[in-house]
Structures are given as C-alpha cells and as structure tokens.
Amino acid sequence: MSRSIVLFENENHKFIYLGIEKNNLEGIFTNQYLIIHNDEGILLDPGGVHVFPRVLANVSENINTENIKAIFYTHQDPDVSSGVALWNSTLENAKIYISGLWERFLPHFGIFDNSLMQPIPDKGTKITFSDGYSLEVIPAHFLHSLGNFVLYDPISKILFSGDIGVGVVQPSEEKIFVENFDDYKRYMEGFHKRYMTSNIAIKKWINAISKYEIDMMLPQHGLLFRKKEFIKFLDWFKDLKCGIDIINEIY
C-alpha cells in the first residue's frame, strides 16, 4: 500500500495526499485528499469502490475516522463518488457535500437516508470546522459536470480542483508534481478538450478563483501543480477551445 504524503502542515492544520494507486484496477488513476484541522477531518473526492480499502487505511493512519466530519464531492462521476455508500456506512456522522443538482441521484449509489446530505447551492458554500475556520466551496460549473465545485483551503493556500487540471498519467511515489508544464500538457489536452464544456465556462471559473492566493492546485487525476506550473496552466487553460466550441470536430 502506498503511503500518505503531507503537502502542508502547521501546528493545527494538515493537507494530506492519500497515497498512490499501484494497481490500475479502476481504469484511470485517481487522487484522494484529507484535510485535518485540529482534530477534525474532511475527505475530498474519496473515490470509487475499487480504492475504498486503500483510502480508508490511509485515512485511519492519520485520524480517528470518528472525527471525519464531512465528505466533499466535486461532482457525481463514479470515480469520484461511487464509494459513497461504503463511506456513509463507515463514517456514520459525516455530512455529505455535493451539488444540489446531484443529491437526487445518490439513491442509485445506495444512499437512501438524506439526513446527512448537505446539497451545495449553485453559488457555492463554506464548510466550517468547530473553531469557526471555513473552507471555501467555489463554483466550477460545466468543468466538466453541470453541477461542479472546487474547494479552497485558505490556511494552506491549496486549491482542490477536481477534474480541472487532470493529466491522464499515473503519479508515482517518486514524482507527484508537474515539473515541466510545456511537456505535461500533452497528457491534459485531449481530456480537457473533450470533457470541458466551453471556453465561456473556463473564463467564468478563472475569474471566480482570481481573488484567492493559490500556492498549489491538486486535481483528481494525474500530477499536482505547484504555483509556478499552476500559473502556466491558467495561461494555457484560459484560451482553450473545448466542448461545444469544437463541436464540429466531434460530429
């Protein structure tokens, strides 16, 4: 089993990368993350059924699972959320944050009790810890899901971006960060052109995150971005034609 990697840490706050998949049983490799603030934890896109045992083991090494207070889902895709029933039965008191547009579909993943559901409104929300500290849930609609969000942690200055910034490549324990964006974008271009809806949606999102100071961007697949490569990503992404912009290439 791959070890967890602490991406940020101070006396009462951690941002943790929950390890590397070593067996490609899931079709596409996925990244999962855990934020610990004081003794409370929040899971970010903990993934599908295939990765549940490994992610749970890595979470348990970092925090008592009884202290997980919430699970945040960027969107509804199976690689993001098909393990939700397993997590719901394991973390009995954890609230589930997902777009209000997708709440009604969760019974198809085995969630029938909606008492812990926290449907996210279109304009976003905050996830607040017991001491009042809050994570920002920011709209990223149509990138790629119609009800889509990213999450910003003001203490670590880390942006969890879901499928934005995805590279179709497997991280390794020796290499988890993008080191040369100009080379790496060949692993990103096909995904972003086909899965993202339009350049209008891209520009809306870039404007929405422009007020935040971001030191690191963490996508749900592929390598992670430090600030220098993140800025290069934004410069590339802002002009990308995708989805309905290039619909004549698809039909």
Side-chain angles (χ1 to χ4, degrees), residues 9 35 55 98 108 132 143 156 163 176 180 195 214 242 244:
E9 181 175 11
I35 297 174
V55 178
I98 193 168
H108 295 280
L143 299 175
S156 66
D163 276 348
I176 64 169
N180 183 329
Y195 280 72
I214 296 168
C242 56
I244 60 173

Side-chain angles (χ1 to χ4, degrees), residues 193-240:
K193 289 179 74 172
R194 188 65 179 86
Y195 280 72
M196 300 299 166
T197 303
S198 74
N199 186 260
I200 291 175
I202 291 172
K203 285 186 163 55
K204 281 284 188 185
W205 177 74
I206 290 177
N207 182 63
I209 64 166
S210 63
K211 66 180 181 180
Y212 300 101
E213 184 178 355
I214 296 168
D215 285 347
M216 203 179 293
M217 180 179 78
L218 312 180
Q220 196 229 344
H221 307 278
L223 303 183
L224 320 182
F225 291 75
R226 295 189 181 94
K227 188 168 189 173
K228 179 182 175 183
E229 303 306 321
F230 168 63
I231 291 171
K232 290 181 179 179
F233 166 77
L234 287 182
D235 188 56
W236 169 78
F237 197 39
K238 68 180 173 58
D239 294 323
L240 185 72

Side-chain angles (χ1 to χ4, degrees), residues 168-191:
V168 185
V169 61
Q170 179 190 5
S172 69
E173 290 183 322
E174 292 74 35
K175 181 177 180 179
I176 64 169
F177 288 103
V178 177
E179 295 172 354
N180 183 329
F181 179 77
D182 290 333
D183 178 61
Y184 187 67
K185 65 186 179 186
R186 63 191 163 115
Y187 300 111
M188 304 173 59
E189 187 167 6
F191 177 87

Side-chain angles (χ1 to χ4, degrees), residues 66-118:
E66 293 180 355
N67 294 340
I68 300 294
K69 65 172 294 173
I71 305 172
F72 166 73
Y73 290 107
T74 54
H75 61 299
Q76 83 293 351
D77 275 1
D79 59 319
V80 172
S81 60
S82 65
V84 64
L86 294 171
W87 287 107
N88 183 240
S89 62
T90 304
L91 312 175
E92 294 183 357
N93 298 313
K95 296 178 179 178
I96 299 171
Y97 287 81
I98 193 168
S99 166
L101 297 177
W102 296 117
E103 179 189 14
R104 73 192 74 170
F105 291 88
L106 288 183
H108 295 280
F109 283 151
I111 299 295
F112 302 101
D113 177 6
N114 63 2
S115 62
L116 294 174
M117 293 299 302
Q118 299 289 312

